[in-house]
């Protein structure tokens, strides 16, 4: 209660909508996320731009197995794991799999600066609409890494930072992507 302002009970008609809103919010919090409830699915044709500004789609990478790392320069764990993704690329490339990075940054210059500063040689693209890409890819947290078969099927996900050059990570990638 605020001083000098008498507290009045809510009008009876406002009780029901408030309860419905509260119920709806509670239901939304416990309901499964659509991107995660539909199963692995396929890599969506998210609109991207290459570092040189050339437009592309995420599906342009298909044709060989992919490790797609979804990241942003403002995400500390993403920045930390990027060098190990670079090493993973060298370790699995002879096998035919490819590591690519998909940035959710809104400023392409930050991505270019990061790639140049740290010598990242992976194919890097930037989502043209980070919000739409986040929803389409089911990226509820960053970093998110998708294991994508050559035909575009998402066969696995890894949420969070990982040392991708570690033997167990390399083995995991090979088992998920190359043992098919």
């Amino acid at each position: 209660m605020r001083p000098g302002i008498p507290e009045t009970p809510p009008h009876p008609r406002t009780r029901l909508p408030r309860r419905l809103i509260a119920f709806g919010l509670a239901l939304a919090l416990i309901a499964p996320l659509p991107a995660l409830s539909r199963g692995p699915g396929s890599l969506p044709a998210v609109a991207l731009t290459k570092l040189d500004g050339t437009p592309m789609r995420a599906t342009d990478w298909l044709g060989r197995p992919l490790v797609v790392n979804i990241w942003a320069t403002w995400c500390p764990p993403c920045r930390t794991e990027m060098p190990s993704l670079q090493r993973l690329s060298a370790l699995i490339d002879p096998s035919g799999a490819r590591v690519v990075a998909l940035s959710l940054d809104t400023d392409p210059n930050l991505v270019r600066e990061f790639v140049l500063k740290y010598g990242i040689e992976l194919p890097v693209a930037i989502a043209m609409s980070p919000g739409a890409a986040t929803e389409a890819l089911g990226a509820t947290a960053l970093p998110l890494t998708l294991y994508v078969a050559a035909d575009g099927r998402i066969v696995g996900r890894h949420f969070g930072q990982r040392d991708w050059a570690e033997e167990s990570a390399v083995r995991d990638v090979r088992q998920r992507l190359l043992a098919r």
Side-chain angles (χ1 to χ4, degrees), residues 68-82 84-85 101-102 104 138-146 157-164:
V68 180
N69 182 261
I70 302 158
W71 70 291
T73 59
W74 46 261
C75 165
C78 300
R79 292 192 318 261
T80 301
E81 80 172 353
M82 194 57 66
S84 74
L85 283 161
L102 192 161
L104 296 180
T140 57
L142 294 180
L144 167 64
T145 304
L146 304 175
R157 298 171 185 262
H158 179 83
F159 287 96
Q161 180 181 343
R162 186 173 192 180
D163 182 353
W164 291 97

Side-chain angles (χ1 to χ4, degrees), residues 126-156:
I126 305 162
M128 293 181 77
S129 173
T134 299
E135 185 176 333
L137 296 163
T140 57
L142 294 180
L144 167 64
T145 304
L146 304 175
Y147 301 96
V148 183
D151 64 1
R153 287 176 300 113
I154 298 173
V155 296

Side-chain angles (χ1 to χ4, degrees), residues 17-140:
R18 286 183 185 165
R19 287 183 182 150
L20 283 176
I21 290 169
F23 177 74
L25 288 172
L27 186 60
L29 290 173
I30 62 170
L33 296 170
L36 299 177
S37 64
R38 64 175 179 244
S42 295
L43 185 66
V46 175
L48 308 172
T49 182
K50 295 179 184 177
L51 291 179
D52 66 4
T54 307
M56 67 172 290
R57 299 219 169 264
T59 52
D60 293 347
W61 282 320
L62 297 179
R64 62 195 258 193
L66 296 170
V67 175
V68 180
N69 182 261
I70 302 158
W71 70 291
T73 59
W74 46 261
C75 165
C78 300
R79 292 192 318 261
T80 301
E81 80 172 353
M82 194 57 66
S84 74
L85 283 161
Q86 181 74 42
R87 288 190 302 277
L88 174 67
S89 179
L91 292 169
I92 66 166
D93 187 63
S95 309
R98 185 175 191 191
V99 179
V100 297
L102 192 161
S103 172
L104 296 180
D105 282 275
T106 55
D107 184 351
N109 291 324
L110 291 175
V111 179
R112 282 188 210 94
E113 287 174 17
F114 180 89
V115 167
L116 288 172
K117 181 177 179 179
Y118 294 100
I120 303 301
E121 296 175 3
L122 301 172
V124 176
I126 305 162
M128 293 181 77
S129 173
T134 299
E135 185 176 333
L137 296 163
T140 57

